[in-house]
Amino acid sequence: MKVSHEVPKVLLNNSREWNDYDYCLPHLLDQSEYYRDYFYNARKEGRYIIMDNSLHELGEAYNYDRLLHWVSELEPDEFIVPDVWMKQAQTNAQAKYWKQFNYPKRTKIVAVIQGENREKAHLCAGLLVGLGYQKLCISYGADWYGDNPLDKSLGRINFVKELLADKQYKDIKFHLLGCAVPQEFGWYRNEPRIESIDTSSPIMAALEGTTYSKSGLLEKPTANMNTHFNIDPEEIDYNKILKNVKRFRAINGL
């Protein structure tokens, strides 16, 4: 299971100490020259790059023309095509729409499972596989998972287990988007089909002044990339970040 923690721009180079790959938010490529240059260099150096569509940060997928531009320009190893939050039909329509384009040879397109409820999410997943997607993403925060961070984590765990038990997904790989509480990933440590995860949790917790306990957290940090991307380096406790990153891996057996 490969892990990447999104970081403020001043920590991008440091993130190579702990990230297995680089997770790119495409709207930031247009907002920050520093961020853009980092990913240009990452590509030149052969680092593995997964490019998101920025739905979580923007509330909707980033501008389609700019997404196509950056996929062509950056040639990420994986591109997560646009989805619509908790909307099954619209997400499946988007997944079909984005199949029409020619992508760089190295780029694999990946789709996100969305749904208004558990049944719709299962329908969405089956239709995505029917469209030919070989890797699917699963979001952390669907309303139907539960009301609080622990319940949301348990809700995704149960949904993931259902997908893994379904024979139609026996050859499908999965990516887990974010987390409500970091200790969730320990449930998947022996499952090779969960190929990658991304979460800023240990970084954002540290920026809030929170150190992980040996068992993780009970609440999700409120800090995020929208609020902390341009944080002043003087406000960062780097030792606390390293401690959280180390504990994240220890808690989850990574």
Side-chain angles (χ1 to χ4, degrees):
M1 189 187 302
K2 296 180 179 179
V3 181
S4 186
H5 302 305
E6 299 93 321
V7 299
K9 66 180 182 182
V10 297
L11 291 174
L12 281 168
N13 287 316
N14 302 87
S15 70
R16 297 182 177 209
E17 296 180 39
W18 58 76
N19 281 345
D20 298 324
Y21 67 92
D22 290 317
Y23 194 81
C24 178
L25 300 174
H27 71 289
L28 295 177
L29 295 169
D30 283 325
Q31 292 181 13
S32 169
E33 182 178 1
Y34 187 92
Y35 191 84
R36 183 166 60 249
D37 287 346
Y38 174 83
F39 277 95
Y40 276 140
N41 290 330
R43 167 51 62 226
K44 289 177 183 177
E45 294 168 15
R47 287 182 60 80
Y48 199 89
I49 298 173
I50 296 179
M51 193 175 98
D52 197 0
N53 63 57
S54 294
L55 178 143
H56 180 70
E57 290 73 26
L58 303 178
E60 61 183 9
Y62 191 41
N63 177 275
Y64 287 7
D65 288 341
R66 298 309 294 164
L67 286 176
L68 287 170
H69 167 79
W70 284 117
V71 170
S72 177
E73 179 78 5
L74 192 60
E75 298 187 5
D77 297 276
E78 298 179 29
F79 168 48
I80 301 173
V81 302
D83 54 308
V84 182
W85 179 244
M86 286 184 57
K87 298 293 184 182
Q88 173 263 313
Q90 292 94 319
T91 293
N92 284 131
Q94 286 298 310
K96 183 176 181 179
Y97 173 83
W98 284 86
K99 291 284 288 187
Q100 69 180 294
F101 300 108
N102 292 320
Y103 296 95
K105 186 176 181 180
R106 71 183 304 143
T107 301
K108 175 168 66 176
I109 56 172
V110 179
V112 182
I113 300 169
Q114 296 284 8
E116 294 83 344
N117 52 46
R118 183 179 300 273
E119 291 73 24
K120 288 291 187 71
H122 276 291
L123 174 61
C124 183
L127 291 172
L128 292 175
V129 171
L131 286 169
Y133 286 92
Q134 298 178 332
K135 186 172 182 178
L136 304 179
C137 300
I138 307 169
S139 299
Y140 78 87
D143 292 349
W144 49 270
Y145 286 160
D147 295 327
N148 59 61
L150 287 176
D151 285 345
K152 284 190 179 298
S153 288
L154 289 172
R156 182 164 67 172
I157 287 169
N158 289 330
F159 181 58
V160 170
K161 286 183 175 180
E162 290 168 1
L163 293 173
L164 294 174
D166 192 324
K167 292 182 179 179
Q168 70 176 308
Y169 306 117
K170 63 183 178 64
D171 297 320
I172 300 300
K173 302 295 185 182
F174 295 96
H175 175 93
L176 300 184
L177 295 161
C179 68
V181 294
Q183 56 269 32
E184 174 194 346
F185 300 109
W187 287 87
Y188 316 117
R189 67 182 65 176
N190 295 318
E191 179 46 70
R193 283 178 289 171
I194 299 179
E195 195 171 62
S196 52
I197 64 176
D198 76 276
T199 173
S200 63
S201 175
I203 311 302
M204 296 305 162
L207 296 182
E208 288 183 344
T210 301
T211 302
Y212 278 11
S213 73
K214 292 183 179 180
S215 58
L217 294 177
L218 296 179
E219 296 291 336
K220 180 176 172 59
T222 57
N224 56 52
M225 286 288 282
N226 287 335
T227 58
H228 286 68
F229 179 66
N230 291 307
I231 191 172
D232 187 329
E234 295 297 322
E235 298 178 27
I236 296 175
D237 185 336
Y238 192 65
N239 288 329
K240 189 165 290 186
I241 286 176
L242 292 178
K243 187 171 185 177
N244 279 358
V245 168
K246 183 177 180 180
R247 280 196 170 171
F248 178 92
R249 288 185 174 267
I251 290 165
N252 293 300
L254 300 173

